[in-house]
Amino acid sequence: MTTVEQTIGAPLTRVDGPQKVTGEALYSYEFPTPDITYVWPVQSTIARGRVTEVDASAALALPGVLTVLDSGNAPRLNTDAEVSADLFVLQSPEVAYHGQIVAAVVATSLESAREAAAAVRLSYAPEPHDVVLRADDEAAYVPERVTDGGPGFEERGDVERALAAAPVRTDATYTTPVEHPSPMEPHATIASWQEGRLTLHDSNQGPRFAAQLMAGLFGLDLDAVEVVTEHVGGGFGSKGIPRSPAVLAVLAAQVVRRPVKIALTRQQMFALVPHRAPTIQRIRLGAERDGRLTAIDHESVQPRSRMLEFADQTVSSTRMMYAAPDVRTTVKVAPLDIMTPAWFRAPGHTPGMFALESAIDELAVELGMDPIELRIRNEPELDPGTGKPFSSRSLVECLREGAERFGWERRDPAPGVRREGRWLVGTGMAASHHPDYTLPSTATVRAEPDATFVVRIGAVDIGTGARTALTQVAADALGVSPTRLRLEIGRASLGVAPFAGGSMGTSSWGWAVHKACRALVEEMRGYAGVVPDGGLEVVADTTEDLQERADLSRHTFGAQFAQVRVDADTGEIRVDRMLGVFAAGRILSPATARSQFLGAMTMGLSMALLEVGEVDPAFGDFANHDFAGYHIAANADVPKLEVHWLDEHDDRSNPVGGKGIGELGIVGSAAAIANAFHHATGVRVRDLPIRIERSREALRAMRDLAGERGSGVR
Ligand code: MOS
């Protein structure tokens, strides 16, 4: 028997590692499918208007072409679902954004499909479009709800009065750009119909959710749809539900009566996969001279598409981070002619905490107070937003441990003074936070007569290590070695289970697996531990357990630290060091958890310094839509990253005690870098990314300041 210490919490090597490194692991597009055909989308070259004519004659004349689909001949979908209308593929000639699928070619080879797609002639009736986000957009409005279900507007106390009375105030506007989730594996689908039943091999974050969506769109019973999602090369939210190319593949397979596959090219990803909404955020803070916050006003203006009101939860962290009596939080959305923005790793919290944690740093400078001390002074007892106790909240411990490990006490608080040759050097920090979500899940576990076990759950491993973590949870609950059990995941038919999103996988699936395994152990007692012929099977469902949970506020926390250096002549910025300390309950699978934090902090670095989708107002497109123009941090950009976590065990979240970690590591990381940039140069950059042109602007401002003060700094 293996003890708990040897399973949960042990650095078990990724269980699917050997399959992946040998190329044995099949990704969706690679699933061998006889009689396969290929669909290639034709994308709109206008951002708003309608398609008036589709001339498919030249395309149809090419060898291997089976059909050309457009809104006139595509099968009808059930368009009642509350999803972005771009999932209603080829249902109308209306164009809502640049790059939308307006026709498609199905052919017997990929090359034929692609060539024929280029030969489809489209005529349009364009209308004037607007793709530019403006803080003063007159059409912007406050949505009733943001994506976490909270209100679009909330005010506790009287913020204007509290601000007017505050002895110390800050007021600044921060912006974050469009960011494109760019998983290594692009969105890919194989769709096959067999006598009214639909099977998808699809790269997504939740096969059960994918099946539900497809069943709804195609008017099928849920059990007539199987979605197989064995291995996924990342999603970051963009694969939270199937996107329009997957729907296109299903439509195409219906028409040609053969299986159809699609994998997006990298360029297609930029148009057809939702992006992170840009934000314009104004934050006003009021404080006593001792640092106690008296007022917070946080407003975020964001775009929405004309197809769906997606209002990112940008101000939600502000609702619960700090103990201020008067807090006002507002999201406004401006309808634009764009693809519907959607989830991207820690949606809302990531851009929101960039702004909030920059603003807190500005307040610390204003007060002449250490930014860690300022945060500790504003630590709330209860969730300030809901008044509920926290299931666990170890932010202060993260800040203290981070400070100690980073060597914070050696920092000279004065900005712009540390110089090493040409380099201006600075350090900064920020807090991190993500909600701890858990949704009902089912799991099945089976004891075989040969004393092995099979665990089945409709979970999915998008590269996070979920397979490994769930193996450890099961081995622990069964009290057996991980080598004695087999885990089956990645199929819609495995039962009700949430998706790999919102960092809810580990707690939701883990709980169900734990419950099923414990129940099986109980049941086996009745057989004196001997598995009867035919095996023993137990199904667990956590729906009721979740309803019975105490009414608490559940979150994860962290502290992010960074050191940057800025070349005083060229403006080049290098991140020297990043360190994160996190509190997310019990860390079930340390090896894969560490990878999650490393990846998320890297993504935060990339957000801070590099990533921006450049909106082209003239064409309504993104001017950069490949990896030559859209820069993501590469190896040379990423320094030594240090990841630590507290030894927490949150059994008021779930009986396993572990919480989700997929998103926590990105939140606050960009602010830590921007705060370090300020410490290095003395100049605050409030607009991301801090690319070299912004850095050079900052250096010019720094020299002007130095000139005014008559200091010796160039
Ligand atoms: Mo994550 S952006 O909630 O899939």
Side-chain angles (χ1 to χ4, degrees):
M1 286 282 210
T2 311
T3 65
V4 171
E5 288 68 35
Q6 288 168 295
T7 50
I8 284 188
L12 185 64
T13 308
R14 205 174 274 264
V15 294
D16 45 10
Q19 271 184 299
K20 286 191 171 177
V21 296
T22 55
E24 210 180 287
L26 287 186
Y27 289 77
S28 297
Y29 195 77
E30 302 170 324
F31 195 84
T33 310
D35 208 27
I36 194 75
T37 65
Y38 301 81
V39 64
W40 197 280
V42 179
Q43 297 174 259
S44 169
T45 54
I46 64 167
R48 183 175 187 174
R50 65 200 310 267
V51 176
T52 52
E53 203 195 327
V54 179
D55 176 359
S57 51
L60 285 166
L62 290 167
V65 173
L66 299 173
T67 189
V68 176
L69 296 172
D70 61 42
S71 68
N73 63 6
R76 294 299 94 187
L77 295 169
N78 175 7
T79 54
D80 287 343
E82 273 186 51
V83 293
S84 179
D86 70 312
L87 290 182
F88 306 142
V89 179
L90 302 179
Q91 299 299 293
S92 129
E94 300 298 323
V95 173
Y97 66 98
H98 193 289
Q100 186 177 346
I101 299 175
V102 286
V105 176
V106 191
T108 52
S109 78
L110 182 70
E111 293 76 10
S112 303
R114 185 174 195 168
E115 185 189 5
V120 175
R121 301 271 165 267
L122 289 152
S123 308
Y124 299 95
E127 286 167 35
H129 63 253
D130 184 4
V131 296
V132 178
L133 178 67
R134 295 173 196 86
D136 60 353
D137 190 322
E138 280 177 10
Y141 66 96
V142 177
E144 200 174 312
R145 299 271 151 214
V146 294
T147 42
D148 62 7
F153 171 86
E154 188 182 85
E155 180 160 9
R156 306 196 294 264
D158 184 339
V159 165
E160 291 301 338
R161 205 178 55 195
L163 278 170
V168 184
R169 287 188 287 263
T170 65
D171 179 352
T173 297
Y174 307 85
T175 67
T176 60
V178 165
E179 279 192 288
H180 294 279
S182 304
M184 278 207 285
E185 183 206 18
H187 292 52
T189 307
I190 298 176
S192 331
W193 288 91
Q194 308 92 8
E195 290 153 25
R197 292 180 51 81
L198 173 64
T199 302
L200 296 180
H201 287 86
D202 182 66
S203 182
N204 64 66
Q205 292 175 225
R208 184 80 176 183
F209 282 16
Q212 280 163 344
L213 183 103
M214 289 294 182
L217 284 174
F218 287 85
L220 300 167
D221 291 336
L222 184 57
D223 60 13
V225 183
E226 177 65 303
V227 177
V228 182
T229 307
E230 193 65 37
H231 295 283
V232 179
F236 310 124
S238 75
K239 296 176 183 170
I241 58 168
R243 304 300 177 185
S244 59
V247 180
L248 176 65
V250 181
L251 276 178
Q254 206 169 20
V255 173
V256 299
R257 297 170 176 276
R258 289 170 64 174
V260 172
K261 62 159 67 173
I262 187 169
L264 293 188
T265 64
R266 189 54 65 181
Q267 293 207 357
Q268 288 168 341
M269 293 281 291
F270 283 80
L272 292 171
V273 170
H275 52 266
R276 193 197 290 284
T279 66
I280 302 171
Q281 303 178 60
R282 182 177 178 201
I283 295 189
R284 295 190 293 163
L285 301 176
E288 300 290 350
R289 293 204 187 280
D290 66 2
R292 273 179 303 127
L293 282 164
T294 54
I296 306 176
D297 186 26
H298 185 176
E299 181 185 275
S300 177
V301 184
Q302 307 156 192
R304 55 157 288 184
S305 74
R306 301 208 192 266
M307 300 176 284
L308 184 76
E309 182 189 272
F310 176 92
D312 224 347
Q313 54 212 358
T314 312
V315 300
S316 294
S317 293
T318 301
R319 290 175 175 164
M320 49 64 66
M321 278 305 285
Y322 299 114
D326 298 78
V327 178
R328 181 164 65 195
T329 43
T330 315
V331 165
K332 279 186 179 175
V333 284
L336 295 176
D337 303 298
I338 54 167
M339 156 61 116
T340 307
W343 307 306
F344 184 174
R345 205 168 197 170
H349 303 289
T350 298
M353 284 288 275
F354 163 68
L356 179 65
E357 291 301 290
S358 296
I360 294 285
D361 200 66
E362 298 207 44
L363 179 64
V365 171
E366 194 66 35
L367 290 162
M369 183 179 285
D370 179 78
I372 296 177
E373 183 53 36
L374 175 58
R375 285 171 175 84
I376 291 172
R377 225 164 260 198
N378 287 288
E379 175 71 2
E381 270 260 330
L382 303 171
D383 181 329
T386 61
K388 295 177 193 174
F390 290 99
S391 66
S392 70
R393 175 168 167 135
S394 308
L395 174 60
V396 171
E397 292 84 336
C398 288
L399 293 168
R400 292 217 162 103
E401 182 162 341
E404 164 122 17
R405 288 180 180 274
F406 192 76
W408 189 257
E409 82 284 353
R410 293 192 297 275
R411 179 189 198 243
D412 181 340
V417 296
R418 184 169 158 200
R419 187 145 181 172
E420 293 171 7
R422 292 158 55 124
W423 297 99
L424 305 164
V425 182
T427 52
M429 53 75 55
S432 174
H433 148 258
H434 196 267
D436 164 40
Y437 296 118
T438 310
L439 282 181
S441 184
T442 57
T444 305
V445 57
R446 196 179 155 72
E448 303 289 4
D450 66 357
T452 62
F453 299 85
V454 184
V455 178
R456 294 192 177 90
I457 182 161
V460 61
D461 191 331
I462 60 172
T464 56
R467 248 193 200 88
T468 310
L470 293 176
T471 297
Q472 290 178 267
V473 169
D476 175 63
L478 290 167
V480 304
S481 156
T483 55
R484 295 231 328 257
L485 65 92
R486 199 173 82 239
L487 182 75
E488 285 182 17
I489 62 169
R491 275 177 189 266
S493 58
L494 289 169
V496 172
F499 71 155
S503 299
M504 69 177 79
T506 302
S507 56
S508 310
W509 306 324
W511 189 343
V513 166
H514 173 85
K515 186 178 178 185
C517 292
R518 281 294 159 95
L520 181 70
V521 168
E522 275 307 305
E523 188 138 340
M524 279 173 66
R525 285 191 216 286
Y527 295 86
V530 182
V531 180
D533 293 346
L536 264 184
E537 189 168 292
V538 170
V539 183
D541 181 343
T542 59
T543 307
E544 282 175 17
D545 306 84
L546 268 159
Q547 285 161 357
E548 287 161 10
R549 269 199 320 182
D551 192 16
L552 300 171
S553 176
R554 295 180 174 84
H555 300 269
T556 56
F557 296 91
Q560 307 262 17
F561 292 78
Q563 176 174 310
V564 307
R565 63 197 148 100
V566 183
D567 186 306
D569 298 313
T570 67
E572 178 186 353
I573 312 167
R574 309 302 302 175
V575 176
D576 284 332
R577 190 180 171 207
M578 286 176 85
L579 182 149
V581 178
F582 303 99
R586 193 175 175 198
I587 299 300
L588 307 181
S589 177
T592 60
R594 196 179 124 76
S595 291
Q596 283 292 287
F597 286 126
L598 290 175
M601 288 165 70
T602 302
M603 212 171 222
L605 183 159
S606 200
M607 174 190 184
L609 301 185
L610 298 164
E611 292 188 45
V612 50
E614 302 280 8
V615 174
D616 179 345
F619 290 98
D621 195 3
F622 295 110
N624 53 346
H625 44 235
D626 57 29
F627 283 170
Y630 185 87
H631 289 177
I632 294 174
N635 269 341
D637 299 307
V638 184
K640 181 174 157 55
L641 305 179
E642 292 168 59
V643 172
H644 305 280
W645 50 75
L646 302 183
D647 196 12
E648 223 190 27
H649 184 125
D650 190 346
D651 57 9
R652 299 201 289 177
S653 174
N654 64 72
V656 186
K659 300 194 270 195
I661 54 164
E663 292 163 290
L664 179 62
I666 189 175
V667 182
S669 48
I673 291 170
N675 294 342
F677 183 92
H678 172 265
H679 186 237
T681 62
V683 179
R684 183 70 58 177
V685 178
R686 302 186 178 93
D687 306 289
L688 293 187
I690 313 175
R691 289 206 304 207
I692 197 158
E693 55 273 27
R694 287 205 172 113
S695 173
R696 291 175 66 85
E697 242 172 65
L699 291 178
R700 273 194 292 277
M702 180 190 86
R703 287 188 198 103
D704 292 348
L705 275 176
E708 277 167 28
R709 291 198 203 106
S711 110
V713 181
R714 288 190 295 144

